Amino acid sequence: MKKPLLLAAVAALALPLSALAQTAPDVAALRDAALKDEVAWDVVEGLTTEVGQRLAATEAEARARDWGVKKLTALGFQNVHIETYRMPVWVRGAETAEVVGPSAQKLTIAALGNSGSTGPKGVEAEIVYFPTMADLAAAPAERVKGKIAFVSHSMTATQDGSHYGAFGAARRAGPNVAATKGAVAILIRSIGTDYHRNPHTGVTNWAKGVTPIAAAALSLPDAEQLERLLKRGPVRLRLLVTPEFKGEAESGNVIGDVPGSDPAAGIVLVGGHLDSWDLGTGAIDDAAGIAITTAAAKAVMAAGQPRRTIRVVWFGAEEVGGFGGAAYAKAHTGERHVFASESDSGADRVWKFETNLPVGAAPIADRLAIALAPLGIARGRGEAHGGTDVGPILQTGVAGIDLSQSALRYFDYHHTPDDTLDKIDPAQLRQNVAAWTTLLTIVANAPEDIAGVPPHGE
Amino acid sequence: MKKPLLLAAVAALALPLSALAQTAPDVAALRDAALKDEVAWDVVEGLTTEVGQRLAATEAEARARDWGVKKLTALGFQNVHIETYRMPVWVRGAETAEVVGPSAQKLTIAALGNSGSTGPKGVEAEIVYFPTMADLAAAPAERVKGKIAFVSHSMTATQDGSHYGAFGAARRAGPNVAATKGAVAILIRSIGTDYHRNPHTGVTNWAKGVTPIAAAALSLPDAEQLERLLKRGPVRLRLLVTPEFKGEAESGNVIGDVPGSDPAAGIVLVGGHLDSWDLGTGAIDDAAGIAITTAAAKAVMAAGQPRRTIRVVWFGAEEVGGFGGAAYAKAHTGERHVFASESDSGADRVWKFETNLPVGAAPIADRLAIALAPLGIARGRGEAHGGTDVGPILQTGVAGIDLSQSALRYFDYHHTPDDTLDKIDPAQLRQNVAAWTTLLTIVANAPEDIAGVPPHGE
């Protein structure tokens, strides 16, 4: 039988207050000091200015790794090093789209990651329109064959960002479906929520044996323009999209530790991803995530040695297929990770947290709820599931907590040229650092054993 | 001696109430009906969708003229025709900018109208930074020679749009000054107020004998990125800007009349401009202006023949130097124009009006004040000055009234790829139509003679 809610609430309030008092560092003091943090801004400003875009496995991402080693070393992290791996490289080429005929006009597009090429001469074909991904999936091949498929959707801005998962299939899977049905190319309405002429790129995936076709996103104004033109009659488009697959090259993760006093207590893994798409400077995606987690780990470091080792990883090659997270998990199977969490939804304020902790470590969540409440953060109803980078570690049965950032603005800028430093609000960035400092202080110093959980993850 | 303010206010209230009652059509009824107008949206949606961008003296602007003749004819305007003129043509080419050296990265630029070319091989040079146009003007030539000048400014969003005039000199005059001092090229911070990677183009002017250099605008995020890089040390840039001057070609004005019952009472001239910059679809600049004035003239036409002829002009080639307005004034010197006004600041709500009327026609302004008040429009403290298109007519001593639209959002989109249909709020567009319907009803039917005023205009 369930406990009555009131009793449960009283129990939750009673327990952690005493437990909080036992915790060595003063969580509240560290949390509040972090609201004046300058480290995160320094990292995000420096990386986005001095390196700029950092497409996976390119020279720019390598420069970013060197930048990271210098920065983590200067901040006092230990065992700072790069771990490399090889991966396929895709780079953007020319990309233009032009309506032909009596309403001749250019449309703004951006190739999706892993898009195929039209070849240097481009293609010209009629548009076949699908209001949703389901419509494309249901269409007979003869409707699609030889045409340029155009897939729309109805994504809106949501605080939990859930529409990205729900409506993102047009980008992730649409091109493969269109190619299978014989389309010469595919355009999608950007998986985004803003009305600027900056299309949202992002990775698409091809099934084995499917030859990639040209696949690009239209900005929302362009997608709606095309819909208006299609209401007036058939539309032919001339499309030039010439990205290239460049074979394999080196990418890597940048790693730094705050060594703990009790190696047997296991590693607390946090981070974000260092690579970015090539269009913006990757400020909210994801210089912010590495800046926030690094600043929080630094704050805990400065307060005295934690019980558990805190490891910060600046993952490489997340955008293009999660190569950094996979490489890390493979390379570190011998170590005892007890906790993993990542920051990869921008720099707007954290508003909820969710956990996936073993029963014995449940008091950690109760202490966290009390310590995060002054930051305007409440416990959500779901379970933590991590993200692309810590997913492979979580899937081995490691515990985790998600600090969820407001995504209301995130998909206005995500994967566009507009992902630049000015989109970061320093006050909200600091709230993130305070939340992560709170989390790391509590988790890294928790007296409880953090045992494994049933394998879980994205 | 001035009248005490209270007495003046009472007099203003007392007079026009009776005068309003004398006006033939029911101004209030026409005004309120216009709040449900669908003509303006039909024009702005149709033109921006079916034609798109309409750069002056190009094939697209010619298509737009044909579109305009059909639309004005279908709406019932009389004497619908095109009046052509010839003018120099400038067209955009390639445009890329790249920081070279350890922080190698691309910056987003757009060439200014009338920009010179770097040639197909581009130029590479050091940046010399000027925080304001005054700093560039004051700089000795040896600081500028052989370099790429970069001029910033501190424009903010203002309701009256006045910062465009105040801070726009960097674009209008900066390139000429930089060229005179021997710069190889010039970049300016976009004359705009938004943080999207869509630079603001716009015309620049060269003094006689000055050879045009490459002149381009950086988006605000790019301008601030460059400023951050310059704080760290010297910056070299590789610049490719290849627009072309294409000689002379044809442009034109599209004209339609609502004939008045009293030809001797003179012509009431209203309109906006048909051409647009090449980057967006020219929705707020200025499909909205022609749509608003056309819809208002149509509403007056539908209510019965006005006393004065209302002439709607869709001016060509405003953006690139006001060729349409100048050509109209030159071609129509023989006609008695008694009033001229244009709509060319977007589609957001009108919030004030200002007049330049002869003393005998002053009651028109008083009646207008009463009739516009329910739309949230009040009389401003300044005088009407018109704009680029009706300026040449106003300068001959013709009376005018400005209906001022809120410009708070206008310079977020102005002259960028983001000037698209979605930026227009249909409710605010209708408020504009209601304001213009009110103005035209009162002015075209005014029993007073509208005599000339001292020559005036922009």
Side-chain angles (χ1 to χ4, degrees), chain B residues 150-339:
Chain B
F150 166 38
V151 186
S152 193
H153 61 81
S154 304
M155 179 178 179
T156 64
T158 54
Q159 192 170 11
D160 69 359
S162 54
H163 271 199
Y164 183 54
F167 292 98
R171 189 198 79 205
R172 295 187 300 265
N176 186 66
V177 173
T180 309
K181 293 178 194 274
V184 295
I186 178 170
L187 295 176
I188 64 161
R189 178 184 170 108
S190 279
I191 308 302
T193 49
D194 66 295
Y195 277 79
H196 299 283
R197 304 281 297 283
N198 291 317
H200 297 237
T201 190
V203 80
T204 194
N205 306 303
W206 307 103
K208 261 193 185 167
V210 172
T211 303
I213 56 174
L218 291 157
S219 79
L220 268 55
D222 290 278
E224 295 187 0
Q225 180 82 334
L226 186 50
E227 289 181 16
R228 284 189 294 271
L229 286 166
L230 285 161
K231 276 187 189 154
R232 286 158 160 91
V235 176
R236 287 184 72 80
L237 215 74
R238 192 178 298 130
L239 200 65
L240 177 74
V241 179
T242 61
E244 283 179 76
F245 293 97
K246 295 262 196 187
E248 290 220 328
E250 190 172 271
S251 179
N253 299 319
V254 182
I255 299 174
D257 286 349
V258 181
S261 59
D262 181 359
I267 295 166
V268 171
L269 176 71
V270 296
H273 66 86
L274 180 59
D275 69 308
S276 76
W277 280 107
D278 52 342
L279 301 173
T281 63
I284 64 166
D285 190 12
D286 185 28
I290 62 173
I292 291 162
T293 50
T294 300
K298 164 76 180 172
V300 176
M301 181 203 308
Q305 189 175 32
R307 181 181 174 212
R308 293 184 178 82
T309 293
I310 299 171
R311 177 167 296 166
V312 175
V313 182
W314 296 13
F315 292 95
E318 189 271 349
E319 294 293 4
V320 293
F323 294 96
Y328 177 87
K330 196 174 164 194
H332 293 266
T333 46
E335 291 172 302
R336 188 190 177 214
H337 292 84
V338 294
F339 180 91

